[in-house]
Amino acid sequence: MSNYLFDEFQGVTPAEWKQKIQVDLKGADYNDTLLWKTEEGITVKPFYTKEDRTNTKIKTPNKGFAICQSINIEDEEKANSFAIDSIQRGANAIEFYAKKEFDYNILLKGIDTQKTTLYFTFNFLSSEFVKKLADYTNSNNCFFNIDIIGHLASSGNWYSNLKNDHTQLEEIAKVTQNAICVNASTYQNAGASIVQQLAYTLAHANEYLNHFGDSIANNIHFNFSVGSNYFFEIAKLRAFRILWNSLLKEYNTEATAHIFAQPSLRNKTLYDYNVNMLRTTSECMSAILGGANTVANSSYDKIFHHSNEFGERISRNQLLILQQESELAEAQNIADGAYYIETITQQLAQKALEVFKLIEKGGGFLKQLKEGVIQRKIKETANKEQQLFDSGELVLLGTNKIQNEEDKMKNDLEVSPFLKIRNEKTLIQPIIQKRLAEKSEQERLENE
């Protein structure tokens, strides 16, 4: 019966659609009027059909996304209490930030490490401590966000030096699973284009493969920040899985990328801060539909307030609404077959692969990082984006468009929302992560 119903309708070819559109344009040029080119160099068409499908098989997760609560460890008992409360309220993953070694007996008391996915992000490097922590958790669901190359890129220095950092990471990787993280968020928050993010993340990971060999592939996981370009961000995560799979084929090995995703900080604003909730909701949805394994939301007031119960609860509830009320609990494959998303996914992957090959031809990611090539490329892209924002062409509602003149923030700053200048000697020029609205916000604060 279904075949009979479809037979009642005559198929329409893309050429016929385009011809109809040109008639409706009444003489206006089709290319000039309806085609637009993105910063990534991709031309977006007004319509897509099944002929645009690529039918590329993407290795997405077997189960839906985990809701993650991020927690700073300042007091182990308080962090433990926060973690347990978050799990009881719907989180099934916890990310702990640590500036120094901590008492994991207190921190993890009452937390089932076999059922709860744990991420540990360290601002230090100690192989002995990490090995003890891994032995204590004794779980395949424990991820150590150790990225010595990412630390060099963002800070300008190794933790100690190249040799010692790699030696310590080798020791950790020998006895633990999920030991190496590639922090792609640095590139996004610094203003890199999506193509650059994909290429640099792949080249970044390839440095670890070159050093440790293909056996380390299953130990590598990825941290991405997701921006506000909704469909392109969905395509970004899917494109990376294609690229990672292609790279591993060259090493004659296989591994499924584990992706931890979070909203970008680059487009978050101090003024009209409630709009940040709209931004993070869209960005989390992109991460979910893009097939992220774990999604950690950011509170609407993260850039100017200390972590607080209200902000963290709202950000966690945003994910719960998307998961349960929007029925996106198992949405990792929902973009399969979407003509538009499949097309831009393939184009992003192809363009990123071209950039990756140029990096490898130029000596590899680490060499180009030390020479300042990566930093210069990101800065060029970031400056173009900044110019679009400053001119009002790129809009952040409430900040450079439809401002609320009654909005006063000078007395509501618990932490500085602006880039901090570090007066220290660095081995290389660090990649600077900066929000778009910083300059305009500083001017508004001065005039309050």
Side-chain angles (χ1 to χ4, degrees), residues 364-381:
F365 183 76
L366 200 53
K367 182 175 185 291
Q368 295 218 336
L369 196 63
K370 290 177 179 179
E371 293 174 351
V373 175
I374 303 297
Q375 296 91 318
R376 187 180 73 250
K377 295 288 186 181
I378 292 176
K379 189 174 182 180
E380 289 172 357
T381 304

Side-chain angles (χ1 to χ4, degrees), residues 171-222:
E171 292 177 5
I172 295 169
K174 285 177 184 177
V175 297
T176 63
Q177 291 187 326
N178 310 321
I180 300 173
C181 177
V182 175
N183 186 12
S185 291
T186 299
Y187 313 127
Q188 203 285 335
N189 287 319
S193 70
I194 289 177
V195 168
Q196 287 175 326
Q197 292 171 51
L198 290 169
Y200 297 162
T201 304
L202 193 67
H204 184 154
N206 195 40
E207 290 291 338
Y208 289 125
L209 291 172
N210 282 330
H211 183 86
F212 294 103
D214 55 48
S215 61
I216 204 70
N218 279 304
N219 280 34
I220 301 175
H221 55 283
F222 302 88

Side-chain angles (χ1 to χ4, degrees), residues 122-141:
F122 307 103
N123 199 25
F124 61 93
L125 182 62
S126 170
S127 58
E128 290 304 313
F129 178 75
V130 174
K131 286 190 285 186
K132 290 177 183 177
L133 176 59
D135 184 61
Y136 180 82
T137 57
N138 190 30
S139 172
N140 293 336
N141 291 328

Side-chain angles (χ1 to χ4, degrees), residues 143-160:
F143 294 81
F144 300 102
N145 296 340
I146 303 170
D147 185 5
I148 56 175
I149 296 174
H151 184 266
L152 173 68
S154 60
S155 71
N157 290 314
W158 298 103
Y159 286 102
S160 175

Side-chain angles (χ1 to χ4, degrees), residues 125-391:
L125 182 62
S126 170
S127 58
E128 290 304 313
F129 178 75
V130 174
K131 286 190 285 186
K132 290 177 183 177
L133 176 59
D135 184 61
Y136 180 82
T137 57
N138 190 30
S139 172
N140 293 336
N141 291 328
C142 187
F143 294 81
F144 300 102
N145 296 340
I146 303 170
D147 185 5
I148 56 175
I149 296 174
H151 184 266
L152 173 68
S154 60
S155 71
N157 290 314
W158 298 103
Y159 286 102
S160 175
N161 55 60
L162 185 151
K163 183 178 179 181
N164 186 61
D165 283 14
H166 279 81
T167 299
Q168 291 215 49
L169 188 55
E170 285 173 9
E171 292 177 5
I172 295 169
K174 285 177 184 177
V175 297
T176 63
Q177 291 187 326
N178 310 321
I180 300 173
C181 177
V182 175
N183 186 12
S185 291
T186 299
Y187 313 127
Q188 203 285 335
N189 287 319
S193 70
I194 289 177
V195 168
Q196 287 175 326
Q197 292 171 51
L198 290 169
Y200 297 162
T201 304
L202 193 67
H204 184 154
N206 195 40
E207 290 291 338
Y208 289 125
L209 291 172
N210 282 330
H211 183 86
F212 294 103
D214 55 48
S215 61
I216 204 70
N218 279 304
N219 280 34
I220 301 175
H221 55 283
F222 302 88
N223 185 325
F224 278 91
S225 281
V226 178
S228 58
N229 193 344
Y230 182 71
F231 290 109
F232 272 71
E233 292 292 340
I234 295 172
K236 178 175 80 176
L237 299 187
R238 291 171 64 83
F240 182 74
R241 291 190 183 278
I242 295 172
L243 291 166
W244 181 237
N245 186 52
S246 297
L247 178 62
L248 293 185
K249 280 183 179 179
E250 297 300 314
Y251 286 89
N252 294 315
T253 189
E254 292 184 0
T256 301
H258 181 96
I259 295 178
F260 178 102
Q262 59 197 351
S264 169
L265 290 176
R266 186 157 170 81
N267 63 348
K268 302 305 177 289
T269 57
L270 174 61
Y271 288 93
D272 213 344
Y273 49 75
N274 286 323
V275 180
N276 289 334
M277 280 189 275
L278 303 179
R279 297 180 182 120
T280 55
T281 300
S282 169
E283 290 157 3
C284 286
M285 195 169 173
S286 289
I288 294 166
L289 300 183
N293 297 80
T294 299
V295 182
N297 195 11
S298 301
S299 62
Y300 70 96
D301 58 350
K302 179 178 180 177
I303 63 172
F304 63 94
H305 277 170
H306 292 296
S307 175
N308 58 86
E309 196 278 335
F310 181 77
E312 300 293 355
R313 178 168 58 84
I314 292 296
S315 65
R316 189 171 57 247
N317 285 349
Q318 288 172 259
L319 289 173
L320 286 167
I321 289 171
L322 289 172
Q323 183 191 65
Q324 299 176 18
E325 296 188 26
S326 300
E327 299 187 359
L328 297 180
E330 296 289 338
Q332 64 271 27
N333 297 315
I334 208 168
D336 288 352
Y339 306 150
Y340 176 41
I341 295 175
E342 281 201 4
T343 302
I344 58 177
T345 296
Q346 195 63 37
Q347 288 178 300
L348 287 172
Q350 289 173 349
K351 288 183 176 294
L353 187 60
E354 291 171 6
V355 177
F356 169 78
K357 288 179 179 178
L358 289 175
I359 293 171
E360 294 304 303
K361 189 176 180 180
F365 183 76
L366 200 53
K367 182 175 185 291
Q368 295 218 336
L369 196 63
K370 290 177 179 179
E371 293 174 351
V373 175
I374 303 297
Q375 296 91 318
R376 187 180 73 250
K377 295 288 186 181
I378 292 176
K379 189 174 182 180
E380 289 172 357
T381 304
N383 286 343
K384 289 178 183 177
E385 187 180 34
Q386 188 68 55
Q387 290 170 6
L388 291 174
F389 171 79
D390 292 343
S391 67

